Amino acid sequence: MLALYPKLDAVVKANQNSKYKKAYNSAGKQLDKIFGAVASCEDLVNIYTPKFEENKQDTAVLEQIVNLFDKKSCTDEELYLMASVELDKMKPSADSKYGIGVGYLKKEEYKKAIDYLSKAVEKLEDNEKLLKAYEYIARAQNKQGNYPAAKQAALKMLEIDGSNGTAYLLIGDAYFYGSKSVGENVCEKAGGLWAAIPKYNRAASLDPSLKETAGKKIGYVKAQFPKKEDCFFHNMTEGQEFKVGGWINETVSVQVK
């Protein structure tokens, strides 16, 4: 199966737009299901490292490695990044830049990741990969502390898929971590905290797999709420409607400890 999968997968891809596309797409899903139960990232590294060393100039082999490692979520592997870099030298494309961007993200080299992923989204045609690219950009921007840019990338995700829970989670993170960048006093600077909670709740309602993560984040946010007396001093009371300005630009309710 490990040896045959790349060849069979190539046949499926070659026929995805043929008159038999429904049959090939169905076969492709079954193929992925079987392969997923067989191959580990370690298996792929062991199989493809020698192939990579012997075929660094062969774009077909490089594309095979990049696509397979991406499909199997083995993008943490060094081989994935190396193959993506070589492929981009030989055959620059949105896919190769996407691969390099993901590789750098996994290595926590966020600036390089953003640079490559930003180039990739300009030409990516696969909506699923485009969605992931914007997700990775948002994550990297949050890590870099560029919260407005993280929000913009997450909004791009919602343009592609309006019910994407991860996008709302990432916007919540941007509001949470970037809250202090908006406002004039300790209470106003909590506006991002108050704006984050509805985003986390929305994420959990759209994607049940995010419910536990969103719940924990809400707990962290509430722990940062200002004290009642701090807000009272600035003529703000619990439950009062408040417009958070700047890049957050949300209307929320004042909440205190």
Side-chain angles (χ1 to χ4, degrees):
M1 187 66 198
L2 294 173
L4 284 174
Y5 176 82
K7 297 177 183 178
L8 299 175
D9 188 53
V11 172
V12 170
K13 282 187 169 62
N15 288 278
Q16 281 181 332
N17 294 314
S18 72
K19 62 179 179 179
Y20 302 113
K21 63 182 180 181
K22 288 185 179 179
Y24 276 102
N25 287 336
S26 177
K29 289 178 182 178
Q30 292 301 315
L31 185 63
D32 287 345
K33 184 177 180 181
I34 296 169
F35 184 68
V38 174
S40 67
C41 293
E42 184 179 357
D43 289 329
L44 294 181
V45 171
N46 290 336
I47 291 169
Y48 284 100
T49 296
K51 289 187 178 182
F52 171 73
E53 295 298 338
E54 294 168 9
N55 300 280
K56 288 185 179 180
Q57 307 299 312
D58 189 330
T59 57
V61 172
L62 296 173
E63 286 176 340
Q64 195 177 86
I65 294 171
V66 171
N67 291 333
L68 201 51
F69 276 56
D70 186 46
K71 185 173 287 188
K72 285 292 296 175
S73 299
C74 298
T75 51
D76 287 341
E77 302 295 341
E78 185 68 21
L79 181 58
Y80 175 78
L81 178 56
M82 291 192 297
S84 297
V85 169
E86 292 302 320
L87 181 59
D88 196 59
K89 290 177 185 176
M90 301 288 297
K91 188 180 176 182
S93 69
D95 286 332
S96 63
K97 286 174 173 53
Y98 170 87
I100 296 172
V102 174
Y104 279 128
L105 180 69
K106 301 294 184 178
K107 291 167 70 69
E108 299 183 358
E109 294 187 38
Y110 300 118
K111 186 179 184 305
K112 289 182 179 178
I114 292 166
D115 287 345
Y116 276 99
L117 289 167
S118 296
K119 291 174 183 175
V121 296
E122 293 175 3
K123 295 184 178 180
L124 277 173
E125 296 180 355
D126 182 331
N127 268 359
E128 186 176 344
K129 188 170 280 189
L130 187 60
L131 188 66
K132 292 299 293 184
Y134 278 120
E135 176 188 336
Y136 292 143
I137 290 172
R139 292 187 185 282
Q141 294 287 16
N142 271 334
K143 289 289 186 179
Q144 288 273 87
N146 192 342
Y147 307 115
K151 177 183 178 179
Q152 290 305 311
L155 290 175
K156 287 289 187 181
M157 294 173 65
L158 291 174
E159 288 180 15
I160 300 167
D161 177 8
S163 60
N164 189 281
T166 299
Y168 284 100
L169 197 77
L170 290 166
I171 294 173
D173 286 347
Y175 287 173
F176 177 24
Y177 298 122
S179 179
K180 292 182 180 180
S181 69
V182 178
E184 299 298 325
N185 57 62
V186 66
C187 200
E188 288 183 2
K189 287 180 181 294
L193 304 179
W194 304 327
I197 289 180
K199 303 304 179 185
Y200 289 143
N201 283 328
R202 181 66 171 155
S205 68
L206 289 170
D207 187 344
S209 70
L210 298 175
K211 188 174 182 179
E212 183 177 352
T213 299
K216 288 180 179 179
K217 288 178 181 288
I218 289 172
Y220 300 147
V221 171
K222 288 183 175 180
Q224 302 296 319
F225 280 177
K227 294 178 181 178
K228 183 177 182 179
E229 54 267 32
D230 290 334
C231 287
F232 182 76
F233 181 78
H234 294 288
N235 298 315
M236 296 171 69
T237 57
E238 187 168 16
Q240 175 186 332
E241 189 176 270
F242 175 66
K243 176 62 182 269
V244 187
W247 62 272
I248 294 178
N249 192 32
E250 299 269 2
T251 299
V252 297
S253 294
V254 173
Q255 299 180 65
V256 296
K257 288 181 181 178

